[in-house]
Amino acid sequence: MIPKLELHLHLEGAAPPDLIRALAREKHVDLSGIFDDRGHYAYDSFAAFLRVYEAACTVLQTPDDFARLTRTVLERSAAQGVIYTEAFLSPDFCGQRDVSAWREYLHAIREAAQSAPDIQMRGIVTCIRHFGPDAARETALCAAETAGDFLTGFGIAGDESAGHPRDFAYGFDMAREAGLSLTAHAGEWGGAQSVRDALDHLRVARIGHGVHAINDPALVDRLAEDGITLEVCPGSNVTLGVYPDWRSHPIDKLRAAGVPVTVSTDDPPFFHTTMTHEYQRLSDTFGWDDEIFTDIARTAANAAFCDDATRAALLKRIGAG
Ligand code: ADE
Ligand code: ZN
């Protein structure tokens, strides 16, 4: 099996419903409204998805809860053949952006990650766009204060229709100065211009999703020429309705145009997906074979927010060293 590398995974978004229900029982929180009768997360729009996501987060209350979550998520990823994963971490849900509280959560997440067998993890602090620029600045401070060999990146997720990337430039500048690598969700719901804005105002090395770049050939050329890696999550896009089906998804066209593309699950239980499932659908839909999946893994290793020794070891593991 070709080892898999995942660059775009929201830690809370990877929480299995069973874990969230167990925590809700333990803490006497009624979360019944966020599940359907089969026990899956229930939502019918992106706005509802964000509401359910944030409701699920209310039972993740302590550093130990996040350690439990990290262990569960990494065990599941490793079972899919994932050897390296970058997880988005949210100080908003970990001590409400208080730096000293955040340190405790991060410590617990890191300890859990470092004891996970067969998989390595790095953390990317993410601010949440619809929580606004002031919260983003506090989040960036949490990231800057804890930047290091485990916490290696900073990004932005959430509702792309809220505000403009320039509103978040201060936080990204702070993170860059602290040595963090940068990524931004863009071009998922927004058009090609939203990708241009993220590049111009936030000066990111990677784009989360970025799929709507396909509608702008000059932007496609820019991504290819500048080596801007897209963290593409096709199953997420199809389930949320960004594209009606796998056939219409632009990942194959972006790759053919020379854009560095990688494959991730985003929030796997929400989208009933796994890395294996994503690979299978890409193979079924576009005929992707082992050579292409090795190339995808190589692209991910080259774009990973890790040190050079880790990168070299990853490239060696995938036979591309
Ligand atoms: N947070 C978790 N998943 C997300 C997505 N697909 N888009 C934006 N923000 C998110
Ligand atoms: Zn995402």
Side-chain angles (χ1 to χ4, degrees), residues 8 10 185 209 266:
H8 188 120
H10 299 262
H185 282 60
H209 300 285
D266 210 7

Side-chain angles (χ1 to χ4, degrees), residues 20 23-25 27-35 55 58-59:
I20 294 299
L23 287 166
R25 266 194 309 274
K27 295 166 198 293
H28 309 289
V29 177
D30 179 10
L31 277 186
S32 50
I34 70 167
F35 300 110
T58 60
V59 298

Side-chain angles (χ1 to χ4, degrees), residues 22-296:
L23 287 166
R25 266 194 309 274
E26 288 165 27
K27 295 166 198 293
H28 309 289
V29 177
D30 179 10
L31 277 186
S32 50
I34 70 167
F35 300 110
D36 65 18
D37 46 14
R38 286 177 303 168
H40 300 149
Y41 293 116
Y43 57 90
D44 57 6
S45 65
F46 182 60
F49 160 78
L50 291 176
R51 281 196 300 273
V52 169
Y53 188 110
E54 285 163 27
C57 288
T58 60
V59 298
L60 291 162
Q61 296 173 352
T62 67
D64 190 52
D65 294 340
F66 275 87
R68 208 162 140 189
L69 171 63
T70 304
R71 281 193 293 274
T72 303
V73 169
L74 292 182
E75 189 185 322
R76 289 180 169 225
S77 290
Q80 303 296 319
V82 178
I83 59 165
Y84 175 88
T85 192
E86 289 181 5
F88 291 119
L89 311 177
S90 309
D92 289 280
F93 305 128
C94 296
Q96 292 173 313
R97 304 185 296 274
D98 174 82
V99 175
S100 56
W102 161 245
R103 278 186 200 286
E104 289 180 31
Y105 284 85
L106 183 63
H107 179 75
I109 293 168
R110 181 188 180 137
E111 296 256 288
Q114 289 177 340
S115 60
D118 307 322
I119 184 165
Q120 291 189 71
M121 171 180 155
R122 296 291 182 276
I124 302 174
V125 159
T126 184
C127 63
I128 298 177
R129 190 154 162 173
H130 55 277
F131 291 177
D134 291 343
R137 230 173 274 180
E138 293 174 14
T139 305
L141 182 62
C142 288
E145 290 287 329
T146 53
D149 56 352
F150 179 70
L151 198 284
T152 56
F154 181 72
I156 183 167
D159 182 356
E160 245 191 89
S161 69
H164 186 278
R166 80 170 75 82
D167 307 333
F168 300 91
Y170 184 95
F172 275 75
D173 289 346
M174 200 194 307
R176 187 182 308 102
E177 278 164 27
L180 291 161
S181 299
L182 304 177
T183 178
H185 282 60
E188 178 190 20
W189 299 100
Q193 186 59 40
S194 72
V195 177
R196 288 181 182 282
D197 289 340
L199 293 173
D200 293 343
H201 294 278
L202 307 179
R203 296 165 50 208
V204 291
R206 303 194 325 223
I207 295 282
H209 300 285
V211 285
H212 284 122
I214 197 66
N215 302 323
D216 180 341
L219 177 59
V220 169
D221 289 347
R222 176 177 174 186
L223 297 175
E225 272 161 33
D226 293 352
I228 303 292
T229 297
L230 301 187
E231 306 152 7
V232 184
C233 310
S236 159
N237 295 154
V238 172
T239 306
L240 284 171
V242 176
Y243 292 97
D245 50 42
W246 277 77
R247 209 18 46 236
S248 324
H249 196 282
I251 188 168
D252 192 52
K253 290 198 184 81
L254 288 162
R255 186 178 176 277
V259 177
V261 300
T262 59
V263 174
S264 296
T265 57
D266 210 7
D267 309 285
F270 280 87
F271 308 135
H272 308 293
T273 193
T274 62
M275 282 292 272
T276 309
H277 182 72
E278 298 289 317
Y279 273 42
Q280 188 60 51
R281 295 302 297 257
L282 289 164
S283 169
D284 294 346
T285 311
F286 302 115
W288 284 18
D289 57 14
D290 284 0
E291 195 179 325
I292 295 184
F293 287 120
T294 301
D295 190 48
I296 293 288

